[in-house]
Each structure stands twice: as C-alpha cells, then as structure tokens.
Amino acid sequence: MAVEASESVLDHPAVDTEGRELLTELVSIPSVSGNETEAAEALAAFFERHDREVWIDDIGNVRAPGDDTILLTSHIDTVPGDIPVEIKDGEEGPELWGRGSVDATGPLAAMAIAAVETGASFVGVVGEESTSRGAWHLIENREAPEAIINGEPSGWDGITLGYRGLLEGTYVATSESGHTSRPDPNAIQHAMSWWERVEDVFEPDEWIPVFEQVTTKPVEFEGGISVDGLSMESTMEFQLRVPPERTPEEVRELSDAELETGTVNWTEFIPAVMTSPRSEVARLFRVAIREQGGDPRLLRKTGTADMNIYADEWGCPIVSYGPGDSNLDHTPHEHLSLAEFDHSIDVLIEVCEQLGVETGDSKHSEPTE
C-alpha cells in the first residue's frame, strides 16, 4: 500500500522540486518507532545520489558527516496512525497529508536538502517518539558539534527555544484479595489515592502558563486479581512534565513524599531546556525569517524532545526549528503546507551559510564507523 501511495502522490504536479519529492517519498514510507529501516535507507540513498558520505549506524541512525560548524538533526520515526498520503488544496496552496508530514518528516526532509546544499553535518535519528535511543547513541558515539539545529515543527517563521523536562515512572501495588464488600482499600484504590495526592501537589494554576507548571498524566493502567487469585494488583505508567524553574529531582521527591503504599520505579529522567534568544544561532534565524518575509516567533513547548538531551549532554548552542503546525502532531489531521516547507529550506540554508558552513569542509567531520 505504501508503494502505491508513493507512486501516485509523487506524480502530482505540486511535487515539482527535489525537496518536495524527498518529503513525499519519506512520508509515504511507514516509519513508526522501531520500524524505521525502509525510511532510513531511502534517506541514505538521497545523500548517496549527491555524493555525500553517508552510512546507517548500528542503531539505525542515518549519518552524513560534513562541516560540524552546525549539526542538522531530526528524527526519522513517527507515532502510529494510518493517514492516507495525498495532496489536497489548502488556503495557502497544496498540502501534503500523511503521518509524519509535520512530526517530524517535514523538518527531516528540509534539513536533508539544506545539508546537501551547504555541506553541513546531518543525522537522522531513530526512536525519538519512544526512548530517544538514536539521540543517546549519537551522544555516546560522536563528539559535540559547534552548534545544533534540532528538527521539530515550529512553523517556518518560528524558533523553539525551550522544552519542558520529563519524568516517567511505574507505580506498583499489591493487596490481599477479599470480597469487594469489605471496606479495606485494595491495590487499585491505593494507586488512585497516590495519584490524586500527586495531582493535588501539582494542581494547575490557570494564571500561570502551562510551560511554567508541572503537569501530570497517567498513560497506562492495569489492575485486578492476580493469576493465582490470592492478591489484588495494580500497575500504572505515568509521566510528569517539568518546567525549567524546577528540577526533576525536586519533582520526584515531592511525588515520593506522597507515597504511603506501593512502590515507584522512576524510569526516565530528562531535564528541561531553555536557551537564550540572544544566541548567535537564534539571531541568525530571526534575520533569515525576516528575509523570507516572515515575522519571527520565539516559542516554548510544553513537551520534551531530543533537544533536551543534546543541550544537557553536549551543552552547545541549540534551537529547534522546522516547518509545520505542532498542534497537528500525532493527530488524524496531520498535514504540511508545501509552500511552508519550501520557506523552511530557504531559512535553513541561509542560517547555515551565515554561520560559515562550507561545502566539502570536513575538518570537524565525525569519523566513519
């Protein structure tokens, strides 16, 4: 089905540039986290056609080293969801519909084009929508670049400077089985009670922006009688988003303080990131956006991205940028304006050139594995 969709959409008159062709091809290839191989191979083939050194590393990342003045990186994987790949007429011209068109195949394809045009280093990473395994592998297997542009949808005229951090954990409780008429709380009630107390600790304040608050979200729950019938069990997976003003350690301690029954295993621990709008990279983005006729917007996002990991581990200047409306992330309505996609490529090329990226300059390139 993916091949048929790709062939028909690639023949559309709106697919009239190399960038649009690459974008459409990649969106037409299913690339849910854990199944990125086909999309990675198509992306690597694009760099090979342009005589760029490229390889797919041990974990599945597409690595195309170049001038490490700037590293252009985005993720290959998407969340699940079958959205027919097609081009529709929109208010600002043709739009490409399909899973990943916004998050983050649009930014990924724009960066691939900009990397080929300028000689900048490029990496397409896997697993961002799950464990960020591609980003962690990158941290462990290459030196830090001088600066990073992380590909996520911000709109072609927007720059994302901040993301909240993430705490993930699993709550587990057990209790003796008994008749449901008994007043003693069971394991399911213990889980519910603990979670209610955690929500009370971080109660939302309508007068404070969401970015500046801790938000709580259960994401999976299982509970009931054990297999042997002798106990009641409950297991809850949950997430806490952490603003830059609070540390993950502080949020974890406050949550643990509400624990009366059961145990919590904390499984993910990613600090928030908030970069300066006065950095040279951010300044050059503002200039490039204005040159394209846009009014630059500075954004803070309530989620978490690979940008958090790079900022914490490498500490180099970084922003997130890419075409697309992030309100469409993970929704059944995910689509990208092709005109916006084109604008984002021009902005990326201008920023790379102003940073001094030189085609063929490999003095800071990463070594081939």
Side-chain angles (χ1 to χ4, degrees):
M1 291 180 63
V3 174
E4 292 176 359
S6 178
E7 289 175 347
S8 61
V9 178
L10 285 169
D11 290 335
H12 194 284
V15 184
D16 56 0
T17 67
E18 185 178 33
R20 293 183 177 190
E21 183 177 353
L22 176 64
L23 169 67
T24 305
E25 178 186 11
L26 292 176
V27 170
S28 299
I29 301 172
S31 55
V32 176
S33 293
N35 293 282
E36 303 100 329
T37 301
E38 185 180 353
E41 290 173 348
L43 184 59
F46 166 77
F47 281 94
E48 289 173 350
R49 290 195 297 272
H50 286 273
D51 297 323
R52 278 286 295 267
E53 179 187 4
V54 64
W55 72 91
I56 298 176
D57 68 18
D58 294 341
I59 205 165
N61 294 332
V62 176
R63 312 267 285 269
D67 186 337
D68 244 13
T69 299
I70 192 77
L71 171 63
L72 304 178
T73 179
S74 186
H75 60 94
I76 303 169
D77 63 315
T78 72
V79 296
D82 186 13
I83 301 174
V85 180
E86 55 186 331
I87 293 177
K88 299 181 181 181
D89 291 331
E91 294 182 2
E92 299 180 0
E95 299 170 341
L96 176 64
W97 286 65
R99 176 59 80 217
S101 56
V102 172
D103 186 17
T105 308
L108 178 76
M111 288 186 163
I113 295 293
V116 163
E117 290 291 325
T118 65
S121 286
F122 171 91
V123 179
V125 298
V126 295
E128 191 272 350
E129 298 288 4
S130 54
T131 62
S132 288
R133 65 186 185 280
W136 285 113
H137 185 77
L138 203 62
I139 292 288
E140 296 167 357
N141 289 276
R142 86 179 318 269
E143 295 181 356
E146 294 181 32
I148 303 172
I149 303 173
N150 184 62
E152 291 285 352
S154 59
W156 78 269
D157 57 352
I159 316 160
T160 302
L161 300 177
Y163 285 92
R164 289 191 299 175
L166 173 66
L167 278 173
E168 286 187 338
T170 304
Y171 172 92
V172 178
T174 60
S175 61
E176 289 187 359
S177 60
H179 199 281
T180 55
S181 64
R182 293 175 57 184
D184 299 333
N186 62 24
I188 294 175
Q189 290 172 296
H190 289 315
M192 294 170 61
S193 296
W194 176 70
W195 190 247
E196 287 174 359
R197 292 193 296 273
V198 171
E199 288 182 322
D200 287 342
V201 170
F202 303 113
E203 183 178 4
D205 187 332
E206 62 178 319
W207 303 107
I208 298 176
V210 174
F211 182 83
E212 298 173 9
Q213 301 187 59
V214 175
T215 55
T216 60
K217 190 70 65 175
V219 295
E220 188 173 326
F221 187 90
E222 294 182 3
I225 299 294
S226 62
V227 175
D228 61 14
L230 300 178
S231 63
M232 179 75 74
E233 301 173 336
S234 66
T235 302
M236 178 175 59
E237 309 285 342
F238 62 88
Q239 295 181 347
L240 303 172
R241 301 287 176 167
V242 184
E245 292 78 11
R246 307 184 83 156
T247 66
E249 293 87 353
E250 173 193 1
V251 172
R252 183 178 62 184
E253 289 175 3
L254 289 170
S255 301
D256 283 340
E258 300 300 324
L259 191 63
E260 297 177 354
T261 304
T263 59
V264 173
N265 177 32
W266 297 95
T267 56
E268 192 71 77
F269 193 78
I270 300 175
V273 57
M274 188 67 215
T275 62
S276 172
R278 298 180 181 85
S279 73
E280 180 66 3
V281 177
R283 185 189 71 80
L284 290 175
F285 264 106
R286 293 197 299 273
V287 171
I289 290 168
R290 290 191 183 101
E291 289 181 354
Q292 287 292 313
D295 185 12
R297 297 175 298 115
L298 304 180
L299 308 175
R300 303 182 304 176
K301 289 193 175 182
T302 57
T304 309
D306 283 345
M307 175 174 168
N308 298 64
I309 297 172
Y310 299 138
D312 185 55
E313 296 291 329
W314 276 338
C316 56
I318 184 171
V319 301
S320 273
Y321 175 79
D325 179 358
S326 59
N327 291 318
L328 300 174
D329 290 5
H330 304 188
T331 73
H333 313 292
E334 191 171 2
H335 63 276
L336 175 64
S337 161
L338 293 180
E340 176 171 345
F341 175 72
D342 295 341
H343 275 309
S344 71
I345 293 173
D346 291 337
V347 169
L348 285 166
I349 291 173
E350 178 66 18
V351 170
C352 289
E353 290 179 345
Q354 290 301 315
L355 282 169
V357 174
E358 298 179 7
T359 302
D361 183 359
S362 59
K363 60 184 179 182
H364 299 298
S365 300
E366 56 178 311
T368 303
E369 291 184 337

